[in-house]
Amino acid sequence: MQQPRPGATPSSSSPATVLARWPSANAQTAIALIVRRLGGSGSSGTTNGRRAVQIRPFRFPGKQGLGASASEKRKDTGRNLFVVRELSAAEHMTVFVEDPTAPLRSTVAAAAAAFTAAKGKAKLEDGAEGGGDEIQVEEVEPQKPPHMRWSCCTLGGFTQWSPLATPFDAFLQRVLLGGGPAANSSSVGSWIPRSTAISIEGWVITSGSQGGPISDWEVRVGQVNIKGGAAGGTTKGVLIEATYLPVPYLPPGSTFVKDYITSLIPPQAVAAGEIQWVSLDEESCFEAGLLPHPDPADPDQRTPEWEWTEKHSALAYVQMFQKEGLL
């Protein structure tokens, strides 16, 4: 369980983007229905083209060699790497690395805050005694680990005329994957592609209120497909992602975007509990390095207002499909 971050209070806003998962939907029927509703009721829905997202998972084996002890094998189950690639006119990629053996950012922050508080208390006690011998703090200052449990890297802004994805693919193949498919299954110290990947294929639609020329909403709707593995070729329902464009964030606890998505879905599906709302809280963003580290010395510090971006969507996809057992 993640620990609350020290020295920070919750943000005074919530993202203007909401994700909804409809895993039991017939993808073709559901997407056609949502597109029709976006174009009806004077909302002037406009299709901005197709959208495709690829999520490729990799695994780095743990200490399973002959030199590893039984306790090391139990503790080190390996690392996970997820490459989330948005295939559109302006392609971008987000890469996440999960190391279950590394500490959480909240744990490191809590240790640093405790050390700072103990050090400050010792100074106060020393001053109260009239400047006697300096009081020693027994705790050792915690050392920052080489990396946290989650690490994130983004690449973006490249197009078909400037394909920066190609060098990344070469790096992924030659450096991370050990040089080629034959090396992936036997090389020690190489990332191994998992047999199952995920793709999201659908449409991007903008919609203006009451037929106006300015778009108020951007809706990304697509079917979830399984690639490879025993379940390869199957469809796992629909994913809907809606963003309210006029503002970067909304008041905390706002259901405005959620209510809008609900209006696009058949009431029967909502009443039957078929819709799963995908949330990405501040704690998850902090652990993935998508929110800045708060200052432990400022107890009244508030988490800054933050705007939803492609990397937040990528993290939500990874965590959502992990919970569903698809990654």
Side-chain angles (χ1 to χ4, degrees):
M1 182 177 180
Q2 295 179 353
Q3 301 179 14
R5 284 179 291 153
T9 56
S11 173
S12 59
S13 65
S14 60
T17 297
V18 172
L19 281 72
R21 184 82 169 92
W22 191 1
S24 61
N26 179 295
Q28 293 184 350
T29 303
I31 292 176
L33 174 63
I34 293 172
V35 171
R36 285 199 304 270
R37 293 195 173 188
L38 283 168
S41 303
S43 59
S44 67
T46 302
T47 301
N48 289 350
R50 298 192 64 88
R51 178 183 188 242
V53 178
Q54 295 178 351
I55 305 175
R56 300 174 59 195
F58 301 84
R59 181 176 178 274
F60 192 93
K63 296 179 180 178
Q64 305 296 327
L66 297 177
S69 64
S71 60
E72 287 178 325
K73 292 180 179 180
R74 286 193 299 270
K75 293 179 181 179
D76 191 356
T77 56
R79 303 174 187 175
N80 297 310
L81 182 144
F82 305 96
V83 178
V84 184
R85 174 178 290 180
E86 176 92 21
L87 302 174
S88 60
E91 184 180 347
H92 57 267
M93 283 187 293
T94 306
V95 181
F96 294 101
V97 177
E98 179 190 21
D99 184 357
T101 64
L104 293 168
R105 281 181 169 82
S106 56
T107 303
V108 175
F115 177 80
T116 302
K119 189 175 181 180
K121 181 179 179 181
K123 289 182 178 179
L124 289 175
E125 292 176 351
D126 183 30
E129 292 180 1
D133 294 337
E134 183 179 355
I135 297 177
Q136 299 295 325
V137 180
E138 295 183 359
E139 293 145 344
V140 178
E141 183 175 4
Q143 299 296 316
K144 187 176 179 179
H147 62 272
M148 302 297 182
R149 182 163 301 184
W150 283 89
S151 302
C152 174
C153 174
T154 58
L155 298 171
F158 41 91
T159 67
Q160 58 182 333
W161 297 280
S162 179
L164 295 184
T166 302
F168 179 82
D169 289 338
F171 171 79
L172 187 68
Q173 184 66 36
R174 297 177 184 176
V175 179
L176 298 184
L177 303 183
N184 294 340
S185 59
S186 59
S187 295
V188 177
S190 298
W191 288 93
I192 302 173
R194 293 184 179 271
S195 59
T196 301
I198 294 176
S199 71
I200 305 170
E201 300 175 7
W203 304 89
V204 179
I205 303 168
T206 54
S207 177
S209 61
Q210 299 180 354
I214 300 177
S215 298
D216 289 339
W217 297 94
E218 182 179 80
V219 179
R220 295 166 291 280
V221 57
Q223 66 180 27
V224 178
N225 302 316
I226 306 298
K227 305 290 186 179
T234 60
T235 300
K236 296 292 184 179
V238 171
L239 178 65
I240 308 164
E241 185 174 352
T243 300
Y244 185 58
L245 299 175
V247 295
Y249 35 77
L250 296 168
S254 173
T255 62
F256 181 62
V257 182
K258 182 177 178 180
D259 294 341
Y260 177 74
I261 294 179
T262 301
S263 70
L264 303 175
I265 301 172
Q268 302 89 332
V270 177
E274 297 179 12
I275 308 304
Q276 302 172 2
W277 300 102
V278 182
S279 61
L280 191 63
D281 56 25
E282 294 174 356
E283 206 63 45
S284 298
C285 295
F286 172 71
E287 290 297 344
L290 305 186
L291 279 181
H293 189 288
D295 183 4
D298 186 1
D300 297 324
Q301 182 184 15
R302 181 176 293 276
T303 301
E305 294 172 327
W306 54 282
E307 183 176 354
W308 190 281
T309 64
E310 292 85 359
K311 58 187 177 183
H312 296 95
S313 293
L315 179 62
Y317 300 157
V318 169
Q319 292 188 347
M320 171 181 62
F321 292 128
Q322 278 187 311
K323 291 180 181 178
E324 293 185 20
L326 301 179
L327 288 178

